Amino acid sequence: MSTDDKVREVASRARTASHVLALATRATKDAALDRMAQALVDAGDAVLAANAEDVERAEAAGTPANVIDRLRLTSERIEGMAQGLRDVAALPDPVGEVLRGSTLANGLEMRQVRVPFGVVGMIYEARPNVTADAAGICLKSGNAVLLRGSSSARSSNTAIVDVLRSALAATGLPEDSVQLVPGDSHESVKALMRARGLVDVLIPRGGAGLIRSVVEESTVPVIETGVGNCHVYVDSSADLDQALEIVMNSKTHRTSVCNSAESLLVHADVADEFLPRVVEALQGAGVTVHGDERFAEYDDVVPATDDDHAAEFLSLDISAAVVDDVEAAIEHIRRFSSGHTDAVLARDQGVIRRFVASVDSAAVLVNASTRFTDGGEFGFGAEIGISTQKLHARGPMGLPEMTSSKFVVVGDGHVRG
Amino acid sequence: MSTDDKVREVASRARTASHVLALATRATKDAALDRMAQALVDAGDAVLAANAEDVERAEAAGTPANVIDRLRLTSERIEGMAQGLRDVAALPDPVGEVLRGSTLANGLEMRQVRVPFGVVGMIYEARPNVTADAAGICLKSGNAVLLRGSSSARSSNTAIVDVLRSALAATGLPEDSVQLVPGDSHESVKALMRARGLVDVLIPRGGAGLIRSVVEESTVPVIETGVGNCHVYVDSSADLDQALEIVMNSKTHRTSVCNSAESLLVHADVADEFLPRVVEALQGAGVTVHGDERFAEYDDVVPATDDDHAAEFLSLDISAAVVDDVEAAIEHIRRFSSGHTDAVLARDQGVIRRFVASVDSAAVLVNASTRFTDGGEFGFGAEIGISTQKLHARGPMGLPEMTSSKFVVVGDGHVRG
């Protein structure tokens, strides 16, 4: 059987499972999630053994240490996955929520109700915990899921999915609610992207290259996630002590995540005062500053190119520029931002209002670190990713974002005149 | 300049206009809509003269009479377009609506706010009134619009857009908020589909072929609209007199629209009683019945193929089959429905509940004609199309569906610990 046929076969089994899942009650789904959590803990040794195979293979292939760290599971990480499933069980069921409703002039009762998408495809990179997280979120939102993880995590993902499927079966829900996509090659990703009609939505999570290729090639609708070239703009009206703390937190709290700051803009009127302080603090924390001419006046600042201004470094690097005013900051952000998160640090209400209205990003932060753009921080309880597209969902996506809706219209012999 | 470059140029002007539109107040937008309406009425003779050119060209090309009818404008139709613009002015502004908001545990104030998409591309067929409708809906929702109508309506669309742009300019809003896409060839449609980053969303309106090609080829996100293979299922518990009326209304009230019924399913237990009545009534209204073996027992019923069951006829044709029960009806609908509108006619609450939960279509109707799936009927006041996809919007799309959202998070020196 070709890869295409194999992928279509699992997708078609997922479709059948989705018909059952769409009707499953919250009680049944929560019981399954709790059982999945317990099963993961119980099968900890087997999962760790499978993970050790992946780690060994990665080490033999000379994989960088930070990637191996993301790949490696521990008892604590397995307990974390289990707790994630229990947390999802504790969240409200989005399915069935009435989004709006009214009785029309002719007596028809109309309501718009949340329903599952049906079949969700996840394409993701090295971290095996995404396997359990995505399975839990999709199950709770009534969706069957096709998981296409990295081939480097193949043994771990297989072991985790086996455990989750057994737990599902024991609860009376279809095993095929959670499936791995067969095949390690890029062919299986391509087949998933072509499975329009069988797969309702694809969510790529990973590097910019992976996401771009899925967005451009897929005929299945895609939710684009997470590339973040996040800006912090320090206005002349900012509290500069506060600004320094926020810049440092945005850049250095964690560097490898999409909501860390990659670009700093400073109003010209406070440049003389703020630049020496911020350059010193950043460099003191090991950050390389890629600056414009104004920043380049300071020691060890590297001249910035347009590529630097556009970059999502995910490392101890930041691009930096001085701008004339908030309008110039907005222009710079329009040109270079990836539309994930941009922050304004200011006291002037007019400047804040202008920035918030004009910066067209998933999240606009005022006097706060860019690191707050996160489903957990926003109180969503679970996050499948951060959407940087404008259709359907924008920003951190929780359970409601994993649903569609339908209109139910009830009459009693109504015909149109 | 290549078609691609020309299209990118108008898209880039639209982007600039969208930055102004996003900040425009409701009062300004409503004043522009009222002025656009008045300008259309005032310029009626010029628009009719331009339309006469299109009609003449179409007649010379031997275009079918029903297509020419859709193309032809009259004073009444121009007044209708103007009234449509005034109606949109009277609707609430979706931009700025707070969708949710809370103060997080750490004191951050978080709110999710509706914002315009930015630049919307419309690709549509012969009816010139769509030009004014789409311009009005996009303007009110704060979006710049690129209009790519049919080349057969080129003169009419040019005249209408000229009038609308002058009215915009007179109100102080950017003319480039409303633009025609240059070029008549398919190349200009292709260029629009490739303008990712410049165009935020494409909405194709028209025949199934147009919509399929846009959905499959576009790298710009698409909202799929309107192909309707709508089913009416008559359960054994239905009031058969009522059912007969609803079937006739669903099929014959208007045949060329996406919410007319194309498929009839009848429960086996009432087949002997209902089939002769419904076949006679349909045939009496000039409808050709494409039936399964049970239906084919009646005179002049044509044997139905799978293609007939899958067809969106948009004509006086209907496919028809007898099914064993509601489960078989659901199976049939899963196989053949386009996911637009499907109706159940029944008294049995269990049957209704099962059908509503299991039929995964944009609208599920109970004891009512499929013809009710419509933005006007639902009270949305304006409709840009009926989405048959699951992402972003599903069913009739009004002003709120023409927006995205963003999170605005306000702190006072907040950093993540």
Side-chain angles (χ1 to χ4, degrees), chain A residues 117 196 215 224 249 356 359 362 364 366-367 369 371 390 392 394 404-407 409 411 413-414 416, chain B residues 117 196 215 224 249 356 359 362 364 366-367 369 371 390 392 394 404-407 409 411-414 416:
Chain A
F117 284 128
R196 193 178 174 88
V215 162
E224 192 177 350
N249 187 261
V356 166
V359 168
V364 181
V366 180
N367 294 326
S369 168
R371 289 278 293 124
K390 294 185 186 175
H392 185 73
R394 201 173 189 206
S404 182
S405 65
K406 70 180 172 196
F407 287 99
V409 182
H414 285 67
R416 233 175 120 172
Chain B
F117 284 128
R196 193 178 174 90
V215 163
E224 192 177 349
N249 187 261
V356 166
V359 167
V364 181
V366 180
N367 294 326
S369 167
R371 290 278 293 124
K390 294 185 185 175
H392 186 72
R394 200 173 190 207
S404 182
S405 66
K406 70 181 172 196
F407 287 99
V409 182
D412 189 8
H414 285 67
R416 231 176 120 171

Side-chain angles (χ1 to χ4, degrees), chain A residues 201-212:
Chain A
V201 56
L202 275 186
I203 304 178
R205 273 183 66 172
L210 167 72
I211 291 166
R212 194 179 323 110

Side-chain angles (χ1 to χ4, degrees), chain A residues 249 365-379, chain B residues 102-110 409-417:
Chain A
N249 187 261
L365 274 70
V366 180
N367 294 326
S369 168
T370 58
R371 289 278 293 124
F372 284 109
T373 303
D374 175 274
E377 292 293 323
F378 281 9
Chain B
S102 60
T103 300
L104 306 180
N106 56 11
L108 279 176
E109 292 162 16
M110 187 263 277
V409 182
V410 181
D412 189 8
H414 285 67
V415 295
R416 231 176 120 171

Side-chain angles (χ1 to χ4, degrees), chain B residues 321-363:
Chain B
V322 171
V323 292
D324 283 341
D325 54 17
V326 65
E327 292 302 329
I330 291 166
E331 273 313 310
H332 183 104
I333 290 169
R334 274 187 185 144
R335 185 164 168 214
F336 293 110
S337 172
S338 64
H340 186 298
T341 297
D342 297 296
V344 55
L345 314 186
R347 288 283 155 212
D348 182 323
Q349 187 261 359
V351 165
I352 293 170
R353 194 173 144 94
R354 181 76 191 177
F355 189 95
V356 166
S358 295
V359 167
D360 187 25
S361 294

